[in-house]
């Protein structure tokens, strides 16, 4: 358990930090939120992007401890060009930002199982290619030369996480577990996976299982249909993978060079814009846990898993539920409940630009437990939501929640508009 990890001595902190590099998985586009560019460039709080916040977090540590923690971005062919242009704005910050590109694979026609591309020209027919999944990080960081570059700089571990997880921050206690010079009698883990307690919102997340005396990551896509309900059970599998991973650079070098890196293939079905059904072959970074020595899972607090996948998540991180300081979002002390509210926003809110238009400002949700919004709904200024609130505008109807409204344990349906005259 995380609570049992000892904190490092103050005299060790700088040395520990200087042996770690932060790697963010930055290959995804913001298409699921209605954006066309890299997801890392979406504004999530006070006009700050995902990338802005991660840079601020690392710069704060570098300044406070006079450390040299670098930020390394693993881009895909979808994000690399734009990211190289954007990085100019960070030239004056106290964070060295490095980039490398993950590999890409051809998409396969679902019927013929043949590549849908006609030639190997990487520049043409971009729909015929797909990023190889974040499991390619080990091969990509090695073959790009980035791994050796980090080793030469004195780095021993990389901290890998999704760029859209705003809770994935440098943790001194975990670094201490990996690098402490105090004799413990046991070898340091080559691989640490952060897991956290599963809730009803996390039933699709991969989980850790032990098989043949090795920890393994079990993903939903690997589970047969008759066992899916069992996999999703909070009682059967109580934890899930946050995809916050701490991995030894020397160990990555070894498993790649010795060709002992074996990860399960995940078959991911997709439909292209022209209606062609394709499959993408991907690997999950966490699946490599079985390939490393002395690997462990650490059950971390929920605050280390704060992903923004949909507009529902965006509402939470933009709200008064969190306070922002030095790039770090922490839950407000005024929040009585230990967990975040369950928020479900309908399709009218899916795209970021539509989401922003529907709120005059973000409601006060400090005492909210559950929110469901469906249909054509807008919110005025200074709205307060408490308890369980359900707002449903049926097809053809519109609901405008008036400014200053306080909704506590309410169901609002039908048609509601208040017009100025």
């Amino acid at each position: 358990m995380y609570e049992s990890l000892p904190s490092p001595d103050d005299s060790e902190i700088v040395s520990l930090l200087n042996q770690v590099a932060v790697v963010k998985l930055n290959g995804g586009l913001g298409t699921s939120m209605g954006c066309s560019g890299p997801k890392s460039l979406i504004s999530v709080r006070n006009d700050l992007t995902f990338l802005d916040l991660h840079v601020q977090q690392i710069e704060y540590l570098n300044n406070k401890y006079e450390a040299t923690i670098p930020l390394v971005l693993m881009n895909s062919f979808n994000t690399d060009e734009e990211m190289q242009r954007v990085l100019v704005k960070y030239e004056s910050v106290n964070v060295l930002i490095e980039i490398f590109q993950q590999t890409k694979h051809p998409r396969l026609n679902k019927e013929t199982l043949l590549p849908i591309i006609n030639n190997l020209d990487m520049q043409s027919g971009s729909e015929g290619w797909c990023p190889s999944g974040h499991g390619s990080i080990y091969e990509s960081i090695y073959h790009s030369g980035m791994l050796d570059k980090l080793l030469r700089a004195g780095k021993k571990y990389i901290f890998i996480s999704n760029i859209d997880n705003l809770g994935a921050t440098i943790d001194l206690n975990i670094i201490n577990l990996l690098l402490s010079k105090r004799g413990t009698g046991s070898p340091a883990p080559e691989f640490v996976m952060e897991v956290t307690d599963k809730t009803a919102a996390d039933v699709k997340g991969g989980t850790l299982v032990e098989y043949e005396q090795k920890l393994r990551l079990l993903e939903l896509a690997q589970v047969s249909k008759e066992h899916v309900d069992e996999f999703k059970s909070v009682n059967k599998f109580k934890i899930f993978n946050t995809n916050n991973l701490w991995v030894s650079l020397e160990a990555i070098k070894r498993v790649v060079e010795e060709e002992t890196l074996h990860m399960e293939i995940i078959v991911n079905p997709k439909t292209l814009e022209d209606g062609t059904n394709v499959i993408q072959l991907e690997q999950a970074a966490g699946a490599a846990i079985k390939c490393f020595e002395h690997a462990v899972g650490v059950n971390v607090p929920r605050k280390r898993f704060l992903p923004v996948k949909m507009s529902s998540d965006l509402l939470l991180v933009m709200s008064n539920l969190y306070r922002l300081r030095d790039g770090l979002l922490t839950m407000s002390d005024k929040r009585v409940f230990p967990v975040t509210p369950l928020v479900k926003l309908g399709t009218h809110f899916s795209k970021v630009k539509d989401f922003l238009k529907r709120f005059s400002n973000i409601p006060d949700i400090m005492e909210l437990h559950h929110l469901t919004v469906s249909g054509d709904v807008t919110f005025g200024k200074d709205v307060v939501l408490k308890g369980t609130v359900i707002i449903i505008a049926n097809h053809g109807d519109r609901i405008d929640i008036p400014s200053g409204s306080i909704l506590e344990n309410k169901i609002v349906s039908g048609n509601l508009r208040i017009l100025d005259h």
Side-chain angles (χ1 to χ4, degrees):
M1 289 292 288
Y2 177 84
E3 291 75 14
S4 65
L5 296 180
S7 299
D9 294 336
D10 290 346
S11 61
E12 294 181 304
I13 291 177
V14 177
S15 172
L16 293 176
L17 290 176
N18 285 341
Q19 297 178 70
V20 174
V22 174
V23 178
K24 296 296 179 182
L25 305 173
N26 189 45
L29 298 171
T31 49
S32 64
M33 299 178 73
C35 301
S36 57
K39 187 175 183 181
S40 56
L41 303 183
I42 296 176
S43 295
V44 289
R45 178 84 180 219
N46 299 351
D47 293 326
L48 297 171
T49 65
F50 289 103
L51 183 57
D52 290 335
L53 294 175
H54 290 302
V55 170
Q56 285 187 10
Q57 292 168 13
I58 298 173
E59 185 177 37
Y60 168 74
L61 290 172
N62 282 344
N63 289 339
K64 179 178 180 179
Y65 296 106
E66 298 184 357
T68 56
I69 308 166
L71 172 61
V72 183
L73 303 176
M74 184 175 82
N75 299 334
S76 69
F77 71 93
N78 286 322
T79 64
D80 190 64
E81 185 176 343
E82 188 165 353
M83 292 308 303
Q84 293 200 47
R85 288 196 299 267
V86 166
L87 292 183
V88 175
K89 69 179 272 193
Y90 301 104
E91 288 180 349
S92 62
V93 303
N94 185 21
V95 180
L96 175 63
I97 302 179
E98 303 272 16
I99 60 173
F100 69 97
Q101 193 174 155
Q102 69 181 119
T103 54
K104 61 181 178 181
H105 294 162
R107 287 181 166 130
L108 305 180
N109 185 294
K110 189 175 181 181
E111 305 302 323
T112 66
L113 299 182
L114 295 174
I116 65 172
I117 55 173
N118 296 319
N119 58 67
L120 294 179
D121 180 4
M122 292 291 201
Q123 303 302 318
S124 63
S126 61
E127 269 213 327
W129 299 91
C130 62
S132 48
H134 46 65
S136 68
I137 184 170
Y138 310 106
E139 298 271 3
S140 297
I141 198 171
Y142 176 86
H143 291 295
S144 67
M146 185 58 64
L147 186 147
D148 282 334
K149 187 174 185 179
L150 292 173
L151 284 173
R152 288 194 299 270
K155 309 307 174 186
K156 293 185 178 178
Y157 280 83
I158 53 174
F159 172 43
I160 306 167
S161 63
N162 297 336
I163 195 125
D164 62 8
N165 181 5
L166 296 176
T169 60
I170 284 284
D171 187 280
L172 287 170
N173 291 358
I174 295 178
I175 297 175
N176 190 47
L177 167 70
L178 301 170
L179 292 167
S180 176
K181 295 178 180 177
R182 288 174 295 218
T184 60
S186 57
E190 292 183 346
F191 193 112
V192 170
M193 175 184 289
E194 294 185 34
V195 298
T196 196
D197 292 344
K198 184 188 288 190
T199 69
D202 314 307
V203 293
K204 294 182 179 180
T207 192
L208 276 182
V209 296
E210 188 171 358
Y211 180 71
E212 295 182 342
Q213 298 182 318
K214 285 275 190 178
L215 285 178
R216 295 182 183 234
L217 177 65
L218 179 64
E219 295 277 13
L220 176 60
Q222 299 168 285
V223 178
S224 57
K225 289 183 179 180
E226 63 267 27
H227 294 296
V228 166
D229 288 342
E230 188 178 8
F231 176 85
K232 291 181 176 181
S233 170
V234 178
N235 296 321
K236 178 74 173 181
F237 295 104
K238 301 180 186 299
I239 57 170
F240 73 98
N241 170 31
T242 65
N243 216 37
N244 298 348
L245 311 171
W246 303 77
V247 193
S248 161
L249 286 166
E250 288 285 3
I252 295 174
K253 187 178 179 74
R254 184 190 73 241
V255 297
V256 172
E257 291 180 348
E258 295 181 356
E259 299 183 356
T260 56
L261 189 64
H262 303 299
M263 294 181 285
E264 293 77 13
I265 301 294
I266 297 173
V267 179
N268 189 4
K270 296 278 185 179
T271 301
L272 303 184
E273 289 185 0
D274 64 3
T276 304
N277 291 320
V278 299
I279 57 175
Q280 299 178 181
L281 302 181
E282 302 174 358
Q283 293 174 313
I289 190 171
K290 66 180 182 180
C291 305
F292 292 87
E293 298 300 321
H294 318 296
V296 297
V298 176
N299 193 341
V300 298
R302 182 75 186 199
K303 66 181 181 181
R304 293 192 55 75
F305 184 68
L306 186 58
V308 180
K309 303 292 185 185
M310 301 178 293
S311 56
S312 303
D313 304 318
L314 194 58
L315 175 64
L316 294 175
V317 300
M318 292 180 70
S319 75
N320 62 334
L321 202 62
Y322 291 95
R323 57 180 183 269
L324 175 64
R325 183 176 180 182
D326 301 316
L328 181 64
L329 287 172
T330 54
M331 190 175 291
S332 171
D333 295 334
K334 297 178 182 178
R335 173 73 174 174
V336 177
F337 309 108
V339 295
T340 57
L342 180 60
V343 176
K344 298 179 180 180
L345 301 180
T347 55
H348 286 74
F349 294 80
S350 296
K351 296 180 178 180
V352 173
K353 64 177 183 179
D354 295 334
F355 166 89
L356 295 173
K357 287 178 182 177
R358 293 185 173 274
F359 293 97
S360 297
N361 61 7
I362 300 300
D364 178 338
I365 62 170
M366 193 64 70
E367 298 179 41
L368 180 68
H369 175 65
H370 178 110
L371 173 67
T372 294
V373 182
S374 178
D376 188 0
V377 179
T378 65
F379 292 80
K381 291 183 178 181
D382 302 325
V383 173
V384 180
L385 304 175
K386 299 182 178 183
T388 297
V389 178
I390 300 173
I391 306 170
I392 300 176
N394 295 321
H395 182 70
D397 291 339
R398 174 171 167 174
I399 296 177
D400 294 334
I401 303 299
S403 295
S405 298
I406 300 176
L407 301 179
E408 182 173 5
N409 296 322
K410 299 294 184 185
I411 298 176
V412 181
S413 63
N415 199 40
L416 173 63
R417 301 197 69 186
I418 298 176
L419 304 176
D420 295 329
H421 69 91

